[in-house]
Amino acid sequence: MTDNELLVKDLTAKDEQKAFAAAQSLINNKNTEAFQILADKSEFLFDFVKNNVNKRLQKAINEKNFRNLFGFLKIYAPDFEDTIVGAFASYANEDLTDEMLELLENGTESEKTYSAKYFSYIPDTISADLLTDYALNNDNEALAFNAAKALGSMQIDSAYNKAVELLDSDDDFTVLKAVKFLVAYENKDAVDALFKAMEKSSMSENIAGEIPYLESLLTLVQTKKEPALMCLENILSGLGEILPLNQVFNFELYDILAFLISDNQKNKNPQTAVVLLSALAKFDTLANNEEYTFDEDKSTKQEVQEIYNLLKSQQEYFWNAQKRLAVQELQSAPLRVSSALQMICEFKIKDAEEEVKKLLDSDNEIIVCEAAAALKQLDALVGIDKAEILSKIKDENKKAIIESLFN
């Protein structure tokens, strides 16, 4: 083990005296090699260890040595970013801000990322044009996020309005970049625009996974129920596949589902019923399939199990009531109908057959195809006139789907 590796080992150890001495050595000697080792090791450290390291570094930084931190700016370490930038902000003056502006314009990608974060601590509109460019036209997510956050702290309306306009782009990746900008900008007025972007995007799960970082999903299901429930359903759909499983904490899923269970015992909302059934199906899969949880930490596994236990602890009469309510959801808007059909198939809700058959008369070809597919899964296609259905379908691919269902 090298001297620098030993230094990082001491810095992350329990012995507070040794650890603080290591933090002082790291800062006072501007030891970039040791900092690189720490940065590389960071993703394997527990959060409480990283918190301890940050506290030790903060304690070691002072007015005499804080400029040594410039040596670390070429090494981007998000777990220690706030400690480094916070120290610069503590000793900020006009000259230091000019230096950070120079790095923002001409530094490395890492230096630009730290500098962008600096301007969220020390808002200076002289940096606004550069930050807007980085926030909306850069593929480095950390730099784009920090730039958007800085613009939000300055309340640069022109950048905010540009991002809102980009939500109407035909390119899903451009839309997702705009979504991430608006979340980092932290103006909650954007929530409704984000919901609309989510509804029409083919990356709806990705967009839904960003929205709770702007405003608590628990608050949203209480204040903007219909779009918030659609958001929650998209999150459930993407969880463990598109969205990391450990985000169950960030999304407050246990609290949200507990609220919805209690709420639907009284208010009997069909959309809520579909979301609860979606949650039951999803957490049944997550809790009983190690493929999803194998690489997760202990706390994530426990939270997944707790949520599953919460759902499974509801009485059979409760879930039967949700299934009956889900059938009523077939009379709602197309996106919600699609979700209801998925749950009707998932739980083989035979009582839904007649309502599903009515959907075959819909003017929406997607709904007609989904309804026919649902009837197939419910073993209820017998007696359905295939020719009549095909006469309503213009899209050749959808016609092929219908044909296959009757074979």
Side-chain angles (χ1 to χ4, degrees), residues 343-351 376-379:
M343 289 306 103
I344 284 165
C345 293
E346 176 75 31
F347 291 95
K348 302 292 184 188
I349 305 175
K350 299 287 287 182
D351 291 345
K376 175 76 169 181
Q377 290 195 50
L378 295 172
D379 298 320

Side-chain angles (χ1 to χ4, degrees), residues 27 35 40 46 53 58 82 102 193 264 276 310 321 349 398:
I27 303 298
F35 187 70
D40 293 340
F46 291 115
V53 170
Q58 289 162 9
D82 282 304
E102 171 64 21
N264 232 36
L276 287 171
L310 168 69
I349 305 175
K398 293 183 177 65

